[in-house]
Amino acid sequence: MKYFDCNCMIGRISEKKLFFDTKEDLLKEMDYYDIEKALVYSSIAYQYNTEYGNKLLKKEVGNNKRILPVAVVVPWDSIDKCLSEEMEDFIRKSAYGVKFFPKKSNFKFSKFNISEILDLVNKIRLPVFINYEEIEDFEDFNAVVYSYPDIPFILTWSGYRLGRILCSLFSLFKNIHIDISNFHNYEGIEYIGRKYGYNRFLFGSGWPYMSPGGPISRIIYAGISGSDKEKIAYYNLEEIMKEIIR
Amino acid sequence: MDIAERVKKGEILKDILIMDCHAHMDKVSAFSIYGDSSCDGMVRLMDRIGIDKCIVSHHLSIGPDYRPGNDIVYAAIKKYPERILGYTGVNPHYPDEILPELKKRLKQGFVGIKIHPDTHNYKATDNNYHIAYEFAQQNKLFLLSHTWGHDTCNPKLFVELASKYSSVKFLLAHAGGGDRQGIEESIEAVKKCGNIYIDITCSLLSSYWLEEMVRQIGDEKILFGTDCPFLDPRYDLGMVLLSRISDKSKERILGLNMKKILEGGKK
């Protein structure tokens, strides 16, 4: 089985020393775990400055076909425009997704604050990634998802605390997915997948905070068909990538 | 073919003893448990993924009322004697009840004691827990305690306890909580006391930390656990199976270490 990882980060972070943080480390891990491709965001974009960090990431990744950059985005980094031209350019031409950290970066995941960004993302059909714990107001989040039915919204780090909210979200919206890196709910993939479709799940590792072995084993030993396992491991994300309009 | 390669090919490892030292049972309000979390459902899942045995404390026992919790575990032990073993849960806020409950459950075949200083909001070193430690000392039992970065149950507290109760094997659940500080404190506790073990049940623990633990303290004081059905067991299972430690280390951590502890208690 091959894997397409939707949730990886490269770079150092402020609060602790990670075991790994470079592109080379990531590629080595991907080889060991049979991960063919990975979507990657920059820790520097996440914790320091989006423009600087995304630029670093673009340079770091270069033309590597296995590591695909995700742009970390904030609104109003300058007073002139919600998104700078450089960021727009990165999103249009190079990014394979956008990631938001509204709680960390002090903005609202709400139409009034980020619709200009999402209008652009919508034109290109990029997926939007957001850590579940970064969502402060699900009413705002839901209003955004409702307004952009063609954007895939992927909740990352969707740990077991999301469990009681997930069924409501999946009932309301067909364009919400979760990354299984931290989806520890007992038999969650089997039961939720049976009801809402296994296309809701994307393989993610949460690297380098976490290692891929857990979610890989989750798929390998899942009580679902072989083809559904392959979809979660690789093809669900690949289908989302195919929708990107360049 | 090594263990990791066999797993990647989808093999269920029936030739390797896998014992989950940290499991629970049934639903709990705080988190979604989708599948059948009764003892029947748990054993079915264990069959599907190659887990031979689990040692269980009921969610009630680590929560509001250990009495029906321990009863449910006893029923499960009787139904699945080869698959399910029991921890006696106790509540430190009812000190007069601790000793009678421990005696009763030992007679019923429970193999260890589980304490949860966090949910019970009672420090591991405070008076009432010593009733349980004394009992464990006299009967050479092992004791699993929730450990996290809280004042009530951080790993450092157990060094003092393990030194005092040298016949008790203290299992530090969650390796102190899965962050660097907790894990390092757990590792230090193991280095200081021969009767302290680390239980790696933890949604926040990566294979990288497991590999680091083995580098620092070897593989004989580390125990596999999953928190099933509170959490799905396949994450922690894969964390061990697909880590880069040796196959011999994996086998020790997955089951042989716990087997040795259980055999030690029977002597």
Side-chain angles (χ1 to χ4, degrees), chain B residues 77-98:
Chain B
I77 293 168
K78 284 197 295 184
K79 192 168 185 182
Y80 297 102
E82 298 302 312
R83 309 298 298 280
I84 295 180
L85 305 171
Y87 286 109
T88 306
V90 294
N91 189 323
H93 301 296
Y94 298 87
D96 294 341
E97 295 176 12
I98 293 175

Side-chain angles (χ1 to χ4, degrees), chain A residues 18 27 31 62 77 79 104 127 134 194 198 209 212 233:
Chain A
L18 297 164
L27 286 166
D31 287 339
D77 222 8
I79 203 76
K104 172 85 178 162
E134 286 281 324
R194 204 175 302 146
Y198 297 106
Y209 291 99

Side-chain angles (χ1 to χ4, degrees), chain B residues 42-55:
Chain B
M42 286 175 65
V43 168
R44 269 198 304 274
L45 181 58
M46 285 161 64
D47 283 339
R48 235 180 36 235
I49 63 178
I51 294 180
D52 297 283
K53 289 185 205 278
C54 63
I55 316 178

Side-chain angles (χ1 to χ4, degrees), chain A residues 29 32 180 184 211 217 221, chain B residues 8 11 207-208 232 234-235:
Chain A
E29 291 303 285
Y32 176 76
I180 67 160
H184 284 82
S211 48
S217 160
Y221 293 126
Chain B
K8 287 176 189 176
E11 191 183 327
S207 299
Y208 310 129
D232 195 291
R234 286 163 279 201
Y235 282 89

Side-chain angles (χ1 to χ4, degrees), chain B residues 53-125:
Chain B
K53 289 185 205 278
C54 63
I55 316 178
V56 170
S57 63
H58 200 274
H59 284 130
L60 272 165
S61 304
I62 60 167
D65 197 340
Y66 67 85
R67 295 168 300 179
N70 290 342
D71 284 340
I72 295 169
V73 169
Y74 180 47
I77 293 168
K78 284 197 295 184
K79 192 168 185 182
Y80 297 102
E82 298 302 312
R83 309 298 298 280
I84 295 180
L85 305 171
Y87 286 109
T88 306
V90 294
N91 189 323
H93 301 296
Y94 298 87
D96 294 341
E97 295 176 12
I98 293 175
L99 200 53
E101 182 68 10
L102 289 171
K103 285 179 178 171
K104 173 181 168 183
R105 301 300 176 182
L106 186 64
K107 278 202 187 109
Q108 287 178 343
F110 282 56
V111 296
I113 300 170
K114 172 71 189 269
I115 63 171
H116 206 299
D118 185 21
T119 57
H120 290 145
N121 193 28
Y122 193 89
K123 196 168 176 178
T125 44

